Amino acid sequence: MAFGRLRKNKQEQDTNDDARSDEEDAGAIAEAPASGPYDVADKPSEEGYVDLGALRIAAAEGLQLRLEVEEKTQRVVAVTLDLNGSSLQLQAFAAPRSDTLWDDIRGQIGKSVGSQGGTVDELEGVFGTELLAKVPAQAQDGSKGFRVARFVGVDGPRWFLRGVFGGPAAMDPAAAGPLEEVFRNVVVVRGEQPLPPRDLLQLRLPRDSSPLPRAGGATSDRPAPPERGPEISTIG
């Protein structure tokens, strides 16, 4: 009987040890630093970044930057990054301190795409729940097809960041990888000014003339001229 009690005690000890190990593993996961996009409080250094006001973009070989301007107000409303034939449009918005926006915004995007005769599929991706939108479009040769856009969203502290992947990166994981890394390294600068939820955070031209590296390592003295972005990318 003594042997039986010792064996039972050992089994209980092993169970307790396993439980403690699981708790320690869970704690380690909880304490692990989260991947980006980042709040400026978590990544304050500007080294290696292009400063666009509300957004900081990490420079990368071959990455080209376009600022998109609203025609009526001449306000910079988005930044589009082009890499290897794919694009990533970025917009940052003010958000409530104690609430998130992505769930509601997905519904709005779905309604907007549906009103254009398109369809939306909700998928789980590397940044959580994503939307894959297909909108009817006419090709240059006159044939009918679809324009595909992949929407991702990240809720941060008092901000919301939305990315729209276009081109091969919208559907091909291999093509999306480099731009996903760019998105992951974005830093959002919310600022302390009070803003209504869903207001665009202010973007601007870089404070200096430091360009993003372009294909082949060539650079220009100034960023590309501002351009207006596609209407499908707007929300709210």
Side-chain angles (χ1 to χ4, degrees), residues 36-219:
Y38 299 94
D39 184 76
V40 67
D42 299 319
K43 208 163 188 176
S45 174
E46 297 182 30
E47 185 176 355
Y49 281 82
V50 175
D51 187 350
L52 301 175
L55 295 176
R56 294 177 185 171
I57 310 298
E61 182 68 28
L63 189 66
Q64 299 184 41
L65 178 153
R66 290 183 287 119
L67 295 178
E68 302 184 12
V69 175
E70 188 176 56
E71 185 176 338
K72 182 178 180 180
T73 64
Q74 292 301 298
R75 178 178 61 159
V76 179
V77 295
V79 57
T80 295
L81 306 171
D82 297 311
L83 183 63
N84 300 333
S86 294
S87 64
L88 170 61
Q89 186 199 66
L90 299 173
Q91 288 181 299
F93 302 84
R97 187 181 300 273
S98 58
D99 198 5
T100 58
L101 296 180
W102 185 219
D103 287 345
D104 288 342
I105 288 174
R106 291 201 308 274
Q108 293 178 9
I109 293 172
K111 291 179 181 178
S112 175
V113 172
S115 69
Q116 300 175 61
T119 61
V120 169
D121 293 320
E122 192 165 287
L123 309 169
E124 286 301 313
V126 294
F127 300 105
T129 304
E130 305 179 355
L131 294 180
L132 187 65
K134 297 181 180 179
V135 178
Q138 187 170 350
Q140 293 182 350
D141 61 3
S143 62
K144 294 182 179 181
F146 289 91
R147 182 157 55 102
V148 181
R150 173 188 165 205
F151 291 81
V152 299
V154 174
D155 288 293
R158 299 175 60 232
W159 53 259
F160 168 74
L161 177 66
R162 193 198 58 195
V164 187
F165 291 87
M171 298 188 68
D172 181 1
L179 277 177
E180 288 176 348
E181 188 65 18
V182 171
F183 185 75
R184 192 173 284 111
N185 284 309
V186 168
V187 176
V188 181
V189 184
R190 164 62 174 82
E192 296 302 324
Q193 69 274 25
L195 292 170
R198 306 190 186 211
D199 263 21
L200 275 168
L201 300 184
Q202 186 174 356
L203 294 168
R204 55 169 170 74
L205 290 169
R207 285 180 295 188
D208 57 35
S209 59
S210 301
L212 289 169
R214 294 177 181 268
T219 61

Side-chain angles (χ1 to χ4, degrees), residues 5-17:
R5 284 197 299 270
L6 288 173
R7 182 169 182 174
K8 182 179 180 181
N9 290 340
K10 185 178 186 305
Q11 291 173 337
E12 291 174 348
Q13 182 64 41
D14 290 343
T15 300
N16 293 335
D17 289 343

